[in-house]
Amino acid sequence: MAVPTTLMDIQNSENFRTNEEPKFRSRVNKIKVGRIDLGEVTPHNIKLLRRLNQVIFPVSYNDKFYKDVLEAGELAKLAYYNDIVVGAVCCRYDTSDNSRRLYIMTLGCLAPYRRLGIGSQMVEHVLKIAELDDALDSIFLHVQVNNDGAIDFYKKFGFEIVETKEHYYKRIEPADAHVLQKTLKKGRKSQKSGEDQ
Ligand code: ACO
């Protein structure tokens, strides 16, 4: 198969069409894992982000979402596997509930590239941002109640189900969402500088 080189090639490629997730990836396969990089979202690749999100998520995101993402800096990243765009993470700050939290709006990767550590790399990026911001109380996100894979994935990083919102989604079934949250330790910076002394 020809190597995809243009945006259209990539969008039309098998990776974007198949929604089949690898059921089992052996240790041997993981050892052969390719290079994972995270890159900026820019006006030049925002269409690719839009296409990725359309393929990965059952929910669609509006123009404002993508306009805000372009201003989000480190809070939005594309994930590359051997230089091919295969996933993305988009976050924003949330200051409701009298607290400053980081909200993961979307985090996902194309089905054929799952269980290769790409999602973990994106979460670790988010955790690193949170680690550097002492004013943040927690990181949270919504996930459809039947998305067991994603729930297991986030639990690995210390997220817990703190609430279940009925009828959270308008156009998909099941409509209920769990709120997954990871509480950040207070005084992270001072703890760190204490350790360094
Ligand atoms: N079932 C059980 N455990 C899982 C699963 C799964 N489907 N996926 C990941 N994990 C756990 C495993 O412990 C895995 O380690 P292992 O492969 O050594 O067993 C570990 O998480 C790390 O997995 P990664 O390879 O880093 O994760 P991946 O790149 O596959 O991404 C993700 C996980 C993002 C959930 C992916 O399945 C995906 O894109 N799903 C579709 C979109 C989605 O549901 N996103 C999340 C909800 S929405 C939101 O985040 C706001």
Side-chain angles (χ1 to χ4, degrees):
M1 197 180 70
V3 177
T5 48
T6 66
L7 177 61
M8 215 192 299
D9 285 345
I10 293 170
Q11 289 182 356
N12 289 335
S13 73
E14 191 61 25
N15 297 335
F16 272 84
R17 275 184 273 124
T18 176
N19 218 13
E20 207 161 305
E21 197 166 323
K23 299 272 174 298
F24 172 74
R25 224 183 260 285
S26 71
R27 208 163 258 286
V28 176
N29 266 341
K30 285 203 179 190
I31 292 165
K32 282 196 264 172
V33 78
R35 204 180 73 239
I36 302 168
D37 300 296
L38 298 188
E40 260 182 84
V41 178
T42 73
H44 300 292
N45 58 30
I46 190 87
K47 277 192 185 158
L48 211 37
L49 172 66
R50 216 183 247 270
R51 185 71 188 116
L52 274 173
N53 282 351
Q54 279 167 358
V55 173
I56 297 171
F57 301 104
V59 169
S60 70
Y61 296 89
N62 60 22
D63 290 347
K64 178 161 185 327
F65 174 95
Y66 292 100
K67 187 172 169 279
D68 292 347
V69 160
L70 278 175
E71 320 242 299
E74 286 299 302
L75 295 187
K77 288 282 181 188
L78 287 170
Y80 294 80
Y81 184 78
N82 288 337
D83 299 326
I84 301 287
V85 180
V86 297
V89 53
C90 301
C91 308
R92 63 171 165 77
Y93 291 109
D94 180 285
T95 50
S96 58
D97 289 350
N98 282 333
S99 61
R100 183 171 154 84
R101 301 185 291 166
L102 199 53
Y103 178 56
I104 304 178
M105 298 186 284
T106 58
L107 186 152
C109 117
L110 293 172
Y113 295 89
R114 290 181 192 156
R115 307 303 287 262
L116 288 170
I118 297 165
S120 296
Q121 197 132 324
M122 291 192 277
V123 172
E124 273 155 17
H125 174 75
V126 175
L127 294 176
K128 215 184 295 167
I129 294 174
E131 188 64 38
L132 292 170
D133 188 342
D134 229 4
L136 279 178
D137 299 319
S138 60
I139 308 172
F140 76 110
L141 60 111
H142 291 96
V143 63
Q144 224 175 341
V145 289
N146 65 344
N147 193 346
D148 295 332
I151 294 164
D152 286 348
F153 166 77
Y154 279 112
K155 280 186 173 169
K156 275 204 86 169
F157 292 92
F159 285 78
E160 293 169 329
I161 297 172
V162 292
E163 191 185 347
T164 301
K165 292 185 176 170
E166 286 185 6
H167 314 299
Y168 176 77
Y169 299 104
K170 291 190 186 77
R171 293 180 193 85
I172 57 172
E173 277 296 330
D176 300 349
H178 289 312
V179 179
L180 282 175
Q181 181 168 293
K182 180 179 169 77
T183 305
L184 300 165
K185 289 197 189 82
K186 292 276 173 208
R188 294 185 298 284
K189 271 188 200 151
S190 40
Q191 272 176 6
K192 253 206 174 142
S193 54
E195 280 163 17
D196 290 346
Q197 281 160 17

